[in-house]
Amino acid sequence: MINGEMTITRPLRWGMVGGGRTGQVGYKHRSGALRDGTYRLVCGAFDLDEARGRDFGVNLGVAAERCYADVQALIQGEAGRADGVEVVSVATPNFTHYEITKALLQAGIHVICEKPLFFSVTECEEIAALARDKGLIVGVTYGFTGHPLVHQMAAMVKKGLLGDIRLVDMAYTHGFNAGDDTGAGEAVKWRTNPRTAGPTFVLGDIGTHLYYLSEVVLPQLKVERLLCDRKAFIPTRAPLEDHATVLMHYDNGARGRLWVSSVDAGNMGSQRYRFVGTKASVSWSDAHPDQLHYEVQGEPGRVLHHGMPYLEEESLAADRMGALHTEGLGDSWANIYLWIAQAIDARQRGDEAFLASHHYPDIQAGLEGVRWLENCVRSADAGAAWVDFR
Ligand code: NAI
């Protein structure tokens, strides 16, 4: 159980690029990072608008002179300080991730970057090599995978409680873009433009969360082939998609079905997962993250609750609140940030043995998400054809 005790040598000096006053995701980063005292927010280039970014940073308790105009000014300003920043989170639109991450790594700063990580696998490989050469950690904020019951599902699969996996069924859908984009805000504008979003809209924006969570639960399964059908129901979003379905064949013979949409009018259900094995199934949704449905063939269904002693140790180790008391998205993000802090701390201590067995969403996880997107686009552009995963 996580109780806020310091599990690393000392708090990390942390900064942010993006995530400013108008940013959608910035608070989730701060809520995750600042929960356990493992990070101390010391600087930022929070906003495209310098004055607004500085005002915002000061309101967060950051010294005015450490609220910078942009990432380059941050790197220069922090380089001269004995107490300079050690790790920076990147919470900016997709098209900026690569340049900002590269600049930070070149300056010797660990990075925590938003998904989808970059635009291409080639870029991911280049940055992974740079991080390796510099001995730096890159974490990726797949923020939903800190929920304790996600790790319960992984542990149950590992223990064989489900039997051999046959079906993987996942959906992340909402209706927030069901109408056209007239008068849309910045966050919609950059998401629907290939120059700023990258090769995908909803596949990258929400589909990568599904894909990564399935990798956490089923690390032994690899996709062999996939078929992706994507469509822009609002034509101005083309060539990007606001809806996609993906079929997947796994190397053990299992079949996968994934649906992402931002035009699923009226749906506030968010994410749904069902993993079906030869003996039993588990179903979980982030709308009710405290509950896991466990159905054994021929037996009445069961609802498992977070924090209960009957759960696997991997799940209990990620629990914060204890049974009866609701856990939520903030707790999940706090776990992700804690696990990344532990990785950075281990690297700073030179504890490679710890790192070898420590699990957190790392640059390889970010790369695999981008690889999956590249395969989806290749399939969709070939007219929703089956393609070998590569
Ligand atoms: P947004 O458009 O709402 O906010 C972007 C923020 O970054 C704004 O504060 C803007 O002023 C700032 N910004 C933009 N360019 C900048 C630059 N070059 N330097 C400094 N600041 C800059 O975007 P949103 O929705 O917050 O998304 C940001 C990233 O987070 C995207 O990559 C998105 O995919 C990801 N995201 C991830 C979520 C998750 O659950 N992990 C949830 C929502 C978004």
Side-chain angles (χ1 to χ4, degrees):
M1 183 157 186
I2 294 164
N3 61 7
E5 260 183 289
M6 189 61 63
T7 54
I8 62 173
T9 313
R10 56 169 178 76
L12 299 168
R13 296 186 295 276
W14 177 57
M16 290 191 77
V17 179
R21 186 174 286 150
T22 60
Q24 293 189 141
V25 82
Y27 180 71
K28 295 181 185 66
H29 286 263
R30 289 184 290 278
S31 134
L34 301 176
R35 180 75 67 85
D36 300 322
T38 41
Y39 299 81
R40 217 157 38 77
L41 183 61
V42 297
C43 70
F46 297 101
D47 203 310
L48 270 177
D49 180 320
E50 182 180 351
R52 188 172 59 186
R54 178 162 295 119
D55 188 53
F56 180 70
V58 167
N59 282 344
L60 294 177
V62 178
E65 71 274 15
R66 294 179 86 176
C67 296
Y68 300 98
D70 56 33
V71 68
Q72 289 302 342
L74 182 149
I75 288 168
Q76 280 161 25
E78 292 297 306
R81 302 182 65 105
D83 62 349
V85 72
E86 296 168 281
V87 48
V88 168
S89 293
V90 182
T92 53
N94 301 352
F95 75 106
T96 62
H97 294 177
Y98 167 79
E99 291 295 346
I100 293 174
T101 300
K102 188 172 175 176
L104 290 165
L105 291 173
Q106 281 171 336
I109 298 168
H110 300 281
V111 176
I112 300 171
C113 188
E114 268 302 347
K115 44 47 59 183
L117 187 56
F118 308 133
F119 279 13
S120 70
V121 170
T122 307
E123 287 175 345
C124 295
E125 285 171 345
E126 180 203 327
I127 298 298
L130 175 61
R132 204 165 38 244
D133 290 349
K134 292 275 188 183
L136 295 167
I137 297 291
V138 178
V140 180
T141 40
Y142 288 120
F144 300 97
T145 50
H147 284 295
L149 291 180
V150 170
H151 299 274
Q152 173 68 17
M153 290 192 283
M156 291 171 77
V157 169
K158 190 172 170 193
K159 242 184 154 179
L161 295 182
L162 272 57
D164 297 331
I165 299 301
R166 284 178 169 160
L167 298 170
V168 179
D169 192 14
M170 309 183 272
Y172 190 170
T173 68
H174 61 76
F176 284 105
N177 306 108
D180 70 26
D181 294 336
T182 313
E186 281 308 309
V188 172
K189 278 194 200 144
W190 72 251
R191 277 177 167 81
T192 51
N193 178 344
R195 196 185 60 75
T196 45
T200 64
F201 171 22
V202 287
L203 282 159
D205 203 39
I206 51 183
T208 46
H209 284 298
L210 297 171
Y211 187 68
Y212 177 64
L213 194 145
S214 72
E215 288 186 304
V216 170
V217 175
L218 306 167
Q220 78 285 12
L221 257 60
K222 301 292 169 223
V223 176
E224 274 189 336
R225 308 172 71 214
L226 66 70
L227 179 156
C228 173
D229 178 35
R230 65 172 180 164
K231 178 178 168 75
F233 278 98
I234 304 299
T236 52
R237 294 176 189 151
L240 303 189
E241 75 294 339
D242 48 30
H243 159 98
T245 42
V246 184
L247 299 179
M248 291 178 279
H249 287 179
Y250 292 88
D251 57 356
N252 72 334
R255 297 297 191 248
R257 178 177 73 163
L258 182 150
W259 174 31
V260 279
S261 178
S262 68
V263 295
D264 184 12
N267 193 333
M268 298 294 288
S270 207
Q271 296 163 51
R272 290 91 71 194
Y273 298 84
R274 184 167 172 82
F275 302 103
V276 182
T278 46
K279 294 193 242 174
S281 309
V282 282
S283 310
W284 179 83
S285 163
D286 72 322
H288 299 282
D290 286 355
Q291 299 181 348
L292 176 62
H293 291 260
Y294 174 38
E295 292 155 332
V296 180
Q297 176 57 31
E299 297 180 15
R302 278 170 254 186
V303 182
L304 310 186
H305 285 264
H306 89 93
M308 291 298 285
Y310 52 69
L311 296 175
E312 303 296 329
E313 127 196 3
E314 292 90 332
S315 178
L316 293 172
D319 209 276
R320 286 173 175 267
M321 294 298 156
L324 260 193
H325 299 135
T326 313
E327 293 219 355
L329 186 57
D331 303 291
S332 176
W333 275 76
N335 284 353
I336 298 297
Y337 260 93
L338 177 61
W339 296 333
I340 296 172
Q342 289 167 337
I344 294 170
D345 180 64
R347 177 53 54 80
Q348 289 178 334
R349 289 185 290 106
D351 190 346
E352 294 303 313
F354 174 88
L355 273 174
S357 61
H358 181 58
H359 190 262
Y360 68 99
D362 60 7
I363 191 158
Q364 192 59 32
L367 182 153
E368 291 306 329
V370 174
R371 190 196 305 285
W372 178 75
L373 292 175
E374 280 193 352
N375 281 278
C376 287
V377 170
R378 202 155 47 85
S379 164
D381 288 355
W386 281 101
V387 294
D388 290 335
F389 199 81
R390 62 178 196 224

